[in-house]
Amino acid sequence: MISVSIVEDNEQLRGTLAKVIARTEGFCCASDYGSAEDALAGLPKVKPNVVLMDINLPGMNGVECVRQLKTLLPQTQVMMLTVYEDTENIFAALAAGASGYMLKRTPAKELIEAIHDVQRGGSPMTAHIARKVVSSFQRPAATAPVAGGELSELSEREQQVLDLLAQGLIYKEIAEKLEISYETVHTYIRRIYEKLQVRTRTEAVAKFLRR
């Protein structure tokens, strides 16, 4: 059972998200909060597996809430769920400790898959957001990443998986494209992280594109 807490000031949206999570097999809505301050007071007691975090909150914003929350609950995965698509907010959230970044317009089915993904150690992002992350690391003169150093330790299949990550594909899409199981993709990702000595998708893609 994956326990999920929600930090969202829009009461209607917060209620809708809670219902979607509660009605999904294998998930439960552990708690929900309308502000960062309430979340920081309540989440250490609840200790959910995943927190869905808005950015534009009354009082303390979601990014600062993530930063403080990760010191209190380092094992809890935080996924941003926001309307903001600008690079500044994306990187601020990731730097604060968020493991994923999804938009509020994401369909319920994809959101559930993203929660499942982040719980398994992934870094779910919409393709549009992932492309922004990738673009920020690309050098103007770069035409293609050149394997070398740590990347040379990756197998051909691992490099294929990493390349698809850099294109913004989520685990499920990678599995379909390579005609392998979701679990196999997850295994490859874990090996890639270990070999590149990184902990997040963003760091892995950055190393891939900077070689």
Side-chain angles (χ1 to χ4, degrees):
M1 183 70 70
I2 299 176
S3 59
V4 182
S5 289
I6 304 165
V7 186
E8 165 62 56
D9 65 321
N10 185 306
E11 185 176 356
Q12 183 176 358
L13 177 57
R14 191 167 72 245
T16 298
L17 289 170
K19 289 179 181 178
V20 168
I21 293 167
R23 293 173 180 174
T24 302
E25 184 178 358
F27 288 75
C28 72
C29 184
S31 58
D32 62 86
Y33 310 91
S35 71
E37 289 80 1
D38 288 345
L40 289 172
L43 287 171
K45 303 172 186 176
V46 179
K47 297 180 181 178
N49 299 125
V50 178
V51 173
L52 300 183
M53 180 73 68
D54 188 19
I55 288 181
N56 188 21
L57 296 168
M60 182 188 298
N61 65 42
V63 173
E64 180 57 30
C65 185
V66 173
R67 184 175 291 109
Q68 295 190 27
L69 182 61
K70 292 300 288 185
T71 65
L72 299 172
L73 298 173
Q75 301 305 315
T76 293
Q77 301 301 314
V78 182
M79 184 168 72
M80 309 308 291
L81 188 62
T82 178
V83 297
Y84 295 109
E85 303 179 55
D86 59 288
T87 304
E88 182 178 354
N89 272 304
I90 295 170
F91 277 90
L94 296 176
S99 297
Y101 199 105
M102 303 294 289
L103 300 177
K104 289 183 179 180
R105 64 172 180 263
T106 302
K109 183 178 179 181
E110 291 182 23
L111 179 60
I112 290 298
E113 290 177 352
I115 295 173
H116 201 271
D117 190 6
V118 78
Q119 167 62 11
R120 292 189 172 199
S123 298
M125 301 178 197
T126 61
H128 178 63
I129 294 298
R131 176 52 60 185
K132 281 181 173 287
V133 173
V134 169
S135 296
S136 70
F137 286 112
Q138 291 178 316
R139 297 172 179 174
T143 55
V146 179
E150 293 170 320
L151 287 180
S152 64
E153 298 179 10
L154 300 183
S155 68
E156 181 179 353
R157 178 63 80 170
E158 288 167 349
Q159 291 197 38
Q160 289 177 339
V161 170
L162 185 51
D163 180 51
L164 293 175
L165 275 181
Q167 293 178 40
L169 275 66
I170 61 176
Y171 288 16
K172 181 180 178 182
E173 293 170 332
I174 294 174
E176 293 174 350
K177 191 172 186 65
L178 298 180
E179 299 182 343
I180 56 180
S181 70
Y182 180 98
E183 294 296 338
T184 300
V185 172
H186 189 264
T187 297
Y188 281 130
I189 297 296
R190 186 176 66 251
R191 291 175 181 171
I192 290 169
Y193 284 7
E194 290 174 352
K195 291 180 180 180
L196 296 185
Q197 298 180 22
V198 298
R199 296 190 301 171
T200 68
R201 173 188 189 135
T202 304
E203 292 173 334
V205 170
K207 283 199 172 187
F208 182 60
L209 293 174
R210 282 178 165 172
R211 302 306 293 183

